[in-house]
Amino acid sequence: MIQGAVNSALEAVLPLTVQGTAGPAQQVEAVIDTGFSGFLTLPSALVTGLGLAFDGVGWAVLADGTEARFDVYDATLLWDGQPRRVYVYAAETTPLVGMRLLEGHDLHVEVQDGGRVTVEAR
């Protein structure tokens, strides 16, 4: 089980450990975004600091309906105690957890400041 908390902005946040091929592992706090169908977004400075390997280019439809191009990188994420290979979209925003990362899991959120967030494998 993965545990996080709801912050004062009522965002469900998970602590994640991310590692690339060249840099040291880093702890990241990422907001769950049920409108994002990918794995994870990270700011480009963090992508560079982790030494993530470039994998290609991806496209996404943003909330306002516009299409955006993103560089995509390979990363290893510590997920429920196990290493998991994921694709990271470089995006200049708060790190986001997408639905692809949550696939095969149950998500429970106590929607209040300080509320529990749990992600559990089915």
Side-chain angles (χ1 to χ4, degrees), residues 3 5 15 23 29 34-35 48 53 63 68 71 88 91 95 115-116:
Q3 295 185 17
E29 298 232 329
T34 59
T48 301
D71 289 339
V88 171
R116 287 187 331 152

Side-chain angles (χ1 to χ4, degrees), residues 97-120:
V97 168
M99 295 301 285
R100 182 76 58 203
L101 191 53
L102 296 172
E103 185 176 19
H105 294 74
D106 291 327
L107 171 64
H108 178 80
V109 180
E110 295 173 356
V111 185
Q112 62 185 26
D113 187 8
R116 287 187 331 152
V117 177
T118 58
V119 177
E120 197 166 8

Side-chain angles (χ1 to χ4, degrees), residues 15-69:
L16 303 174
T17 301
V18 184
Q19 185 165 12
T21 56
Q26 291 194 28
Q27 185 84 8
V28 175
E29 298 232 329
V31 174
I32 295 172
D33 182 353
T34 59
F36 171 46
S37 62
F39 286 96
L40 182 66
T41 70
L42 293 175
S44 58
L46 187 53
V47 167
T48 301
L50 287 164
L52 299 185
F54 180 74
D55 189 72
V57 174
W59 292 87
V61 178
L62 304 180
D64 67 1
T66 60
E67 285 190 21
R69 176 191 179 277

